[in-house]
Amino acid sequence: MSKKQKTKFITADILKSAIGNAFIKLNPRYMMKNPVMFVVEVGCIITLILCFVPNLFGTTDIPNVRTYNIIVTIILFITVLFANFAEAVAEGRGKAQAASLKKTQKDTEARLIHEDGTEEIVSSSQLKKGDIVLVKTGEIIPNDGEVIEGVASVDESAITGESAPVVRESGGDFCSVTGGTTVVSDWLRIKITSSPGDSFLDRMIALVEGASRKKTPNEIALNTLLVSLTIIFMIVIITLYPIGIYSGVTLPVATLIALAVCLIPTTIGGLLSAIGIAGMDRVTRFNVIAMSGKAVEACGDVDTMILDKTGTITFGNRLAADFYPVGNADKNDLINCAVQSSLHDSTPEGKSTVELGRKLGCDIQEMDGAEYIEFSAQTRMSGVDLPDGTKIRKGASEAIQEYVVANGGTIPADLEERVNEVARLGGTPLTVCKGNVVLGVIYLKDTVKPGMRERFERLRAIGIKTIMCTGDNPLTAATIASEAGVDDFIAECKPEDKIRVIKEEQAHGKIVAMTGDGTNDAPALAQANVGLAMNSGTAAAKEAANMVDLDSNPTKILEVVEIGKQLLITRGSLTTFSIANDIAKYFAIIPAMFMSYIPALGVLNIMHLASPLSAILSALIFNAIIIPCLIPLAMKGVKYRPMNSSKMLRRNMLIYGLGGIIVPFVGIKIIDLIIHPLLMLLGLN
């Protein structure tokens, strides 16, 4: 499994860039994209004006009011700056990753093949979709494409970070190549599938830089909630001023602005964009290209996951595990014939049959004049014709039975029982015959990957249903499903069956995720809410999906779903913490504002803050410094633990809800103890 790329949380270069961008983002035209922090910036501008014209909105009884306004202005400015810094750090991490990716982009020379077969050396930037290029050993693949001829080893370490070369060949599901990778052996004839500037590498760079990041539906909904809360608090604050005048209470405008900034959800408002960018960043560090933030967010809402058996749940290499003779056949004769028919079989099944046979004492050598019959989908069998006229065949049980009967033989009574026995064990049965006599069955075993049961249990704990799709017969499918621990399975599955089950789940309001790599998977990938295509797969699969795994690891969907869950949990937890903060700040500022005029409100001063101004400034300072304190949590995400929704809600309410109330009480009190003596020195108390 591809491991997550390890990077420092923040480097010196990222820090330097983030500080500069934090100031650049102060531009009001940019700040308007974040309404909550824009309100804080407007408040900062108003208090800045009051620093020069203290009595603009009337006189107050605060001594040295100009100094008070200056302090409030500085704290508000720092609050906005910290919020911008959080977003800039998230963007900086993405840009740092993009810079390393850009190093792999080179304007290389390409060997363009014309229709008449002639070659022309052109710049890779001149290639267009549909062009045919030839790439030889040591040359860089100029752009994304599909192999139409040849077999070669390709070094994809520049893109995936994996050092071991991979084999790419025409046909099948491993024909896709990525621009910027290098052919290390042989040659490939490639059909270009993307235009310059639109390759997967280009898209990945744009995504990690944040240039093409759009707010997700949940992010927009939360932003709308934050704006609504801000408007409500602003209306309340604005009405306090005339009410105060009517009651004979003079409320300084700077204090009202401080109250507004403390009560509106500035903490989550300042971190919301950073959380979204960091979520995309975590996905790309798993070598997954998400075509949009919406795709990552959808992962967090997944209810049903559809997984291929071969290569995802199992290793996919069916290896010979045993030989079962049938009828009156001798086991040694079965082993000898199975090995003889597999000497030219280069598949894992054929090689493992020869290896197992030799371990059991068989020492068959290739015979001169023997004619080896390759496997074909039409006959569903392979074998060898020996010089003495003996014909040995191995293949699917039904095909071998038809072959034996057609040649005048009979079927042993215990053959079906043996075939079913292998199927019940989760294996694949291959039947062997010599002439018109059935000798027995080869037990091919497909092993479930270690840890799959535990991982499916984790998914089940958070309410995700897993469905295994396989072309195996129902008996084999049931055995593998039971061993792996999936919730359901579809045996003898066809591409249309995947689309059918996706639609059925979606009809019940479920969010569905699936993986695929072949052209026949494309319709299902497009239908699923989360479609993860393998980079080694076909262009059709990658175009249909909304995520592409550069490592081509089908089990990556499990990690991606957990990243999506973590994104939603992080956003929800910090929103809970932010809103809970307001309760403590309420008890700090409201009593402080009115205690001098309404002494009975002193009972609400449960923190026993030193003075009204000290209370207001302490709350305002805490409101500012809590943002950078939470940046590491926003970047790394709240630690993910599989559990059901109700348990997760209770846990987050306890930790981030109750914690969001307690932390400000402690923090504001500590700040009050520190700044009260300083305010006295400044003549503000």
Side-chain angles (χ1 to χ4, degrees):
M1 183 185 301
S2 174
K3 61 183 179 181
K4 184 178 178 180
Q5 298 176 19
K6 299 291 184 181
T7 57
K8 291 183 179 179
F9 163 63
I10 188 167
T11 63
D13 290 339
I14 293 176
L15 178 62
K16 182 179 178 181
S17 173
I19 292 173
N21 286 331
F23 283 92
I24 294 173
K25 291 176 183 290
L26 291 171
N27 186 327
R29 287 182 297 179
Y30 184 88
M31 291 299 298
M32 288 179 70
K33 297 177 182 178
N34 188 340
V36 176
M37 299 314 299
F38 180 66
V39 169
V40 180
E41 185 174 51
V42 171
C44 180
I45 294 171
I46 294 173
T47 56
L48 179 63
I49 295 171
L50 291 174
C51 293
F52 299 97
V53 192
N55 298 320
L56 180 62
F57 297 103
T59 59
T60 70
D61 55 1
I62 296 179
N64 205 353
V65 67
R66 189 188 301 273
T67 302
Y68 173 69
N69 290 338
I70 292 172
I71 294 173
V72 172
T73 301
I74 292 172
I75 297 173
L76 292 179
F77 178 75
I78 292 173
T79 303
V80 177
L81 207 61
F82 280 160
N84 289 346
F85 178 74
E87 184 176 20
V89 167
E91 291 177 346
R93 281 163 60 87
K95 288 177 180 177
Q97 188 181 6
S100 65
L101 288 171
K102 284 179 179 178
K103 292 179 183 177
T104 67
Q105 281 192 313
K106 300 175 183 177
D107 187 12
T108 58
E109 290 186 338
R111 190 178 283 101
L112 178 64
I113 307 299
H114 294 290
E115 291 184 3
D116 59 3
T118 58
E119 295 183 7
E120 179 186 0
I121 303 300
V122 300
S123 168
S124 60
S125 60
Q126 295 178 264
L127 295 175
K128 58 184 183 295
K129 193 173 182 178
D131 283 345
I132 307 297
V133 297
L134 178 65
V135 186
K136 296 182 179 180
T137 302
E139 295 178 350
I140 295 174
I141 295 173
N143 207 339
D144 295 349
E146 285 191 345
V147 179
I148 58 175
E149 187 179 348
V151 180
S153 293
V154 179
D155 179 5
E156 297 185 341
S157 59
I159 306 297
T160 67
E162 298 294 335
S163 57
V166 295
V167 175
R168 294 288 176 259
E169 57 186 326
S170 60
D173 296 335
F174 296 93
C175 61
S176 182
V177 290
T178 305
T181 57
T182 305
V183 174
V184 295
S185 72
D186 302 295
W187 57 271
L188 295 173
R189 193 181 294 266
I190 300 167
K191 181 178 182 180
I192 301 299
T193 56
S194 64
S195 303
D198 193 37
S199 68
F200 280 103
L201 187 57
D202 291 311
R203 282 193 245 177
M204 188 173 186
I205 290 171
L207 284 165
V208 297
E209 281 185 321
S212 61
R213 195 188 89 88
K214 296 180 181 179
K215 289 186 177 181
T216 64
N218 282 351
E219 197 173 346
I220 292 171
L222 180 55
N223 198 56
T224 302
L225 172 63
L226 299 182
V227 171
S228 301
L229 290 174
T230 301
I231 293 172
I232 291 170
F233 280 121
M234 290 303 299
I235 293 172
V236 171
I237 300 303
I238 291 171
T239 56
L240 276 178
Y241 189 75
I243 291 173
I245 294 175
Y246 179 79
S247 304
V249 177
T250 304
L251 297 173
V253 172
T255 298
L256 289 172
I257 292 173
L259 175 63
V261 170
C262 285
L263 293 186
I264 64 177
T266 50
T267 305
I268 186 62
L271 295 172
L272 186 60
S273 182
I275 293 169
I277 295 171
M280 293 286 290
D281 178 65
R282 284 193 292 275
V283 169
T284 56
R285 289 177 193 279
F286 268 95
N287 276 346
V288 173
I289 301 177
M291 301 306 175
S292 67
K294 183 179 179 181
V296 180
E297 193 171 83
C299 289
D301 292 324
V302 166
D303 300 297
T304 303
M305 189 181 297
I306 296 176
L307 300 150
D308 281 327
K309 184 206 78 172
T310 305
T312 303
I313 294 174
T314 64
F315 284 106
N317 290 333
R318 298 177 301 171
L319 306 179
D322 206 347
F323 299 97
Y324 296 135
V326 296
N328 297 320
D330 179 69
K331 185 172 183 177
N332 288 330
D333 193 21
L334 166 62
I335 295 173
N336 291 340
C337 289
V339 171
Q340 184 74 67
S341 64
S342 303
L343 290 175
H344 273 227
D345 188 345
S346 60
T347 64
E349 295 91 333
K351 290 179 179 179
S352 65
T353 298
V354 175
E355 183 179 351
L356 179 61
R358 286 180 173 160
K359 282 182 181 179
L360 295 175
C362 176
D363 190 24
I364 296 294
Q365 301 297 325
E366 185 175 338
M367 295 185 182
D368 292 333
E371 183 181 351
Y372 290 90
I373 313 298
E374 292 186 2
F375 175 85
S376 72
Q378 288 74 30
T379 62
R380 294 192 298 160
M381 67 176 75
S382 61
V384 60
D385 292 344
L386 300 178
D388 62 3
T390 303
K391 296 185 177 182
I392 302 172
R393 297 289 184 270
K394 66 172 184 179
S397 180
E398 298 86 354
I400 294 297
Q401 289 182 50
E402 291 176 6
Y403 176 84
V404 168
V405 171
N407 285 278
T410 58
I411 307 302
D414 57 345
L415 175 62
E416 185 176 354
E417 182 184 345
R418 283 296 192 186
V419 168
N420 289 339
E421 180 183 348
V422 170
R424 280 193 295 271
L425 291 171
T428 301
L430 277 185
T431 303
V432 180
C433 70
K434 181 165 66 173
N436 61 0
V437 177
V438 178
L439 299 178
V441 175
I442 305 173
Y443 169 24
L444 298 177
K445 186 177 181 181
D446 193 0
T447 308
V448 173
K449 293 180 178 179
M452 293 305 294
R453 174 175 284 276
E454 290 75 13
R455 299 178 80 179
F456 288 136
E457 286 175 356
R458 291 180 65 185
L459 293 174
R460 195 174 299 111
I462 55 176
I464 295 179
K465 177 183 178 182
T466 51
I467 301 175
M468 181 187 78
C469 293
T470 176
D472 290 338
N473 62 65
L475 280 174
T476 301
T479 303
I480 294 292
S482 175
E483 185 179 347
V486 295
D487 298 309
D488 199 358
F489 67 90
I490 303 173
E492 299 175 343
C493 182
K494 304 179 185 66
E496 52 268 27
D497 294 326
K498 294 180 182 179
I499 298 176
R500 174 183 55 77
V501 72
I502 290 172
K503 289 182 176 180
E504 287 176 356
E505 292 291 319
Q506 289 173 333
H508 291 92
K510 303 293 181 65
I511 304 297
V512 183
M514 78 157 287
T515 61
D517 56 8
T519 300
N520 60 355
D521 291 324
L525 287 168
Q527 181 66 40
N529 303 90
V530 178
L532 179 66
M534 302 299 101
N535 190 44
S536 62
T538 62
K542 291 191 285 188
E543 289 297 327
N546 49 23
M547 287 185 168
V548 176
D549 176 22
L550 295 176
D551 295 328
S552 301
N553 178 1
T555 62
K556 190 78 71 71
I557 188 70
L558 303 174
E559 276 88 359
V560 172
V561 166
E562 291 189 351
I563 291 173
K565 291 283 184 186
Q566 186 185 39
L567 171 63
L568 297 183
I569 292 168
T570 301
R571 188 182 295 152
S573 298
L574 291 182
T575 300
T576 303
F577 184 86
S578 176
I579 294 175
N581 276 193
D582 293 341
I583 298 175
K585 288 181 277 187
Y586 171 87
F587 281 101
I589 294 186
I590 297 296
M593 290 178 62
F594 294 99
M595 273 193 306
S596 301
Y597 310 99
I598 311 174
L601 285 177
V603 71
L604 294 178
N605 185 20
I606 59 179
M607 285 185 275
H608 301 291
L609 302 177
S611 68
L613 290 186
S614 175
I616 292 167
L617 293 177
S618 296
L620 200 59
I621 291 171
F622 175 84
N623 190 68
I625 64 176
I626 195 65
I627 294 175
C629 289
L630 291 174
I631 290 177
L633 185 61
M635 295 293 102
K636 296 179 181 178
V638 173
K639 189 173 181 180
Y640 172 77
R641 290 183 176 87
M643 60 184 72
N644 59 45
S645 300
S646 59
K647 187 176 180 181
M648 189 180 299
L649 178 62
R650 289 195 300 271
R651 179 179 179 273
N652 285 346
M653 288 300 293
L654 179 64
I655 296 176
Y656 296 97
L658 185 59
I661 296 173
I662 295 173
V663 171
F665 271 97
V666 176
I668 291 172
K669 180 61 179 178
I670 292 173
I671 295 170
D672 177 72
L673 292 173
I674 295 171
I675 70 168
H676 177 59
L678 299 175
L679 294 178
M680 292 184 67
L681 289 174
L682 294 171
L684 289 172
N685 271 331

